[in-house]
């Protein structure tokens, strides 16, 4: 219910094709603290129904064109918070069962009515409407809070899984994904490769140009990795400091070498502004395909050794580790 609807005066709609009964109901309810609308045509009454407009509807059962049960059943769909009361001179069991099943009737008022009984039924219907309104408000509040909590949980997951500087996955997420990838390999034997990289002479970059420039270099390398890799297949990580790692799924070292050479070229051609000039930089890469029954640490040690072999060979290059013997 909208704020405007909840703040509006309570209203009740009475529906009866007999004008004498309609006027009598209006007289009975005229001293009540609510607006009373009257309608002799059930189809016209249906046109009046909208969420939040009426707290209660009281309808006669026997009417041409649309019975009270049929009218109240449609009101149930159009405005679930409108409490439905049936006015009937034929309160047999069949009518009662139909009213409960089809219209979820809250109350019955039998003709001819006693005024005190009529007012009591209306008062109880208004109480029921307030219960439904409060329940709906609470439900909407809980849904909003649940959405807010889900958003906070998503933010927390991003914070725990991603590096704040580069938005790449962090070291903890790398360890988790590597272990999962090893389990997948042992199940389906699909190959995967690990690529590790280190920015060349990064200490010199920080010393000569300052840490803000160093951070920009790290962010640029991360951006190049994202551009070079396959979406939803490969995963890039900030392994620590100026070090990066990439899990290349369903990839042999031969195919991984092609991607690694592309990364080297992209980073070699990149640059960041520093002191009115363009700061150029390179990375060294080590690559290794996972070997059967190899531990995560053994794979890391093997690829890390290939990375530092690339450093020793002159930097700005790739060195591929040999697969361990079967």
């Amino acid at each position: 219910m909208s704020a405007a609807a909840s703040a509006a005066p309570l209203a009740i709609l009475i529906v009866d094709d007999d004008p004498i009964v309609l006027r009598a109901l209006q007289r009975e309810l005229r001293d009540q603290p609510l607006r009373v609308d009257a309608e002799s045509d059930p189809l016209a009454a249906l046109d009046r129904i909208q969420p939040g407009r009426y707290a209660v509807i009281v309808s006669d059962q026997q009417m041409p064109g649309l019975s009270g049960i049929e009218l109240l059943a449609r009101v149930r769909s159009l405005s679930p918070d409108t409490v439905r009361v049936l006015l009937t001179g034929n309160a047999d069991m069949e009518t009662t069962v139909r009213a409960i099943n089809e219209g979820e009737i809250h109350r019955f008022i039998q003709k001819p009515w006693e005024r005190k009984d009529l007012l009591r039924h209306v008062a109880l219907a208004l109480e029921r409407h307030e219960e439904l309104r409060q329940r709906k408000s609470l439900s909407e509040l809980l849904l909003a809070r649940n959405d807010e909590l889900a958003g906070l949980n998503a933010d927390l997951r991003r914070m725990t899984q991603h590096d704040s500087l580069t938005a790449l996955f962090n070291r903890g997420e790398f360890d988790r994904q590597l272990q999962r990838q090893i389990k997948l390999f042992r199940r389906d034997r699909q190959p995967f490769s690990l690529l590790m990289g280190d920015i060349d002479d990064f200490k010199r970059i920080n010393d000569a140009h300052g840490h803000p420039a160093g951070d920009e270099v790290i962010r640029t390398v991360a951006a190049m990795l994202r551009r070079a890799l396959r979406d939803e297949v490969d995963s890039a990580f900030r392994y620590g400091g100026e070090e990066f790692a990439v899990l290349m799924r369903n990839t042999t070292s031969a195919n991984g070498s092609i991607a690694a050479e592309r990364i080297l070229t992209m980073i070699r051609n990149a640059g960041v502004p520093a002191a009115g000039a363009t700061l150029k930089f390179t990375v060294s890469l080590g690559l290794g395909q996972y070997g059967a029954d190899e531990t995560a640490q053994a794979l890391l040690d093997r690829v890390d050794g290939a990375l530092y072999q690339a450093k020793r060979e002159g930097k700005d290059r790739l060195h591929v580790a040999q697969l361990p013997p079967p």
Side-chain angles (χ1 to χ4, degrees):
M1 182 183 299
S2 68
S6 63
L10 290 176
I12 184 170
L13 176 64
I14 53 178
V15 187
D16 198 304
D17 62 313
D18 187 335
I20 296 176
V21 173
L22 209 55
R23 286 194 297 270
L25 286 170
Q26 287 178 296
R27 284 195 304 270
E28 300 280 28
L29 298 172
R30 64 188 173 189
D31 295 331
Q32 299 302 306
L34 46 80
R35 190 183 80 246
V36 179
D37 291 344
E39 186 60 65
S40 60
D41 182 351
L43 293 175
L46 198 59
D47 290 338
R48 289 174 175 256
I49 300 299
Q50 54 184 265
R53 186 170 188 179
Y54 291 108
V56 178
I57 178 171
V58 178
S59 174
D60 185 30
Q61 162 59 7
Q62 299 293 337
M63 295 184 294
L66 199 66
S67 72
I69 291 175
E70 293 168 334
L71 170 62
L72 296 181
R74 295 194 193 181
V75 170
R76 174 191 175 192
S77 299
L78 294 171
S79 180
D81 294 344
T82 299
V83 179
R84 296 163 294 281
V85 177
L86 187 67
L87 184 65
T88 179
N90 184 29
D92 60 5
M93 184 58 65
E94 181 180 355
T95 299
T96 302
V97 170
R98 283 190 63 204
I100 292 173
N101 290 340
E102 297 178 24
E104 285 192 358
I105 306 305
H106 177 64
R107 292 275 162 181
F108 292 89
I109 301 174
Q110 189 169 2
K111 297 177 181 178
W113 63 81
E114 293 287 339
R115 185 172 189 271
K116 64 178 182 179
D117 290 336
L118 171 68
L119 296 181
R120 181 172 60 86
H121 283 305
V122 170
L124 290 172
L126 289 171
E127 289 179 9
R128 176 59 177 166
H129 169 73
E130 180 61 17
E131 290 174 5
L132 293 172
R133 189 191 67 80
Q134 292 184 6
R135 186 183 302 173
K136 182 179 180 181
S137 297
L138 180 59
S139 177
E140 289 172 349
L141 177 61
L142 289 174
L143 286 173
R145 292 289 172 84
N146 285 340
D147 288 344
E148 181 182 0
L149 183 59
L152 291 173
N153 285 336
D155 291 341
L156 181 60
R157 282 194 298 272
R158 283 191 291 271
M159 290 172 61
T160 58
Q161 294 175 344
H162 291 79
D163 170 62
S164 59
L165 179 64
T166 63
L168 297 180
F169 289 119
N170 59 24
R171 171 65 184 274
E173 185 62 16
F174 169 79
D175 293 337
R176 286 187 287 271
Q177 290 198 29
L178 177 57
Q179 290 293 344
R180 283 198 298 269
Q181 198 60 42
I182 289 173
K183 289 180 182 179
L184 288 173
F185 175 87
R186 291 171 179 169
R187 187 188 70 188
D188 56 30
R189 311 308 273 189
Q190 284 195 351
F192 74 93
S193 295
L194 172 62
L195 179 70
M196 298 190 71
D198 184 89
I199 300 173
D200 296 326
D201 302 314
F202 187 71
K203 184 177 184 305
R204 178 184 59 78
I205 292 173
N206 273 338
D207 291 345
H209 301 281
H211 289 280
D215 287 348
E216 189 60 31
V217 168
I218 290 174
R219 280 192 288 264
T220 302
V221 171
M224 296 299 103
L225 289 176
R226 281 192 293 268
R227 285 175 53 187
L229 300 176
R230 298 167 295 178
D231 291 340
E232 301 182 4
V233 177
D234 305 320
S235 297
F237 308 82
R238 188 181 181 194
Y239 192 74
E242 67 272 22
E243 293 181 281
F244 297 85
V246 177
L247 281 174
M248 297 179 167
R249 296 177 175 84
N250 197 23
T251 302
T252 64
S253 57
N255 291 332
S257 296
I258 298 172
E261 292 292 349
R262 183 167 65 249
I263 290 168
L264 286 172
T265 301
M266 292 173 65
I267 293 174
R268 192 180 300 128
N269 292 334
V272 300
T278 299
L279 173 60
K280 307 293 287 186
F281 48 89
T282 60
V283 298
S284 297
L285 300 175
L287 175 69
Q289 181 179 332
Y290 178 72
D293 299 322
E294 192 174 21
T295 65
Q297 190 58 53
L299 174 64
L300 283 167
D301 290 344
R302 192 159 53 85
V303 176
D304 193 57
L307 168 60
Y308 282 95
Q309 182 62 32
K311 294 277 192 185
R312 287 190 291 269
E313 292 174 358
K315 303 175 185 176
D316 187 22
R317 67 191 63 220
L318 167 72
H319 189 86
V320 180
Q322 296 295 315
L323 271 169

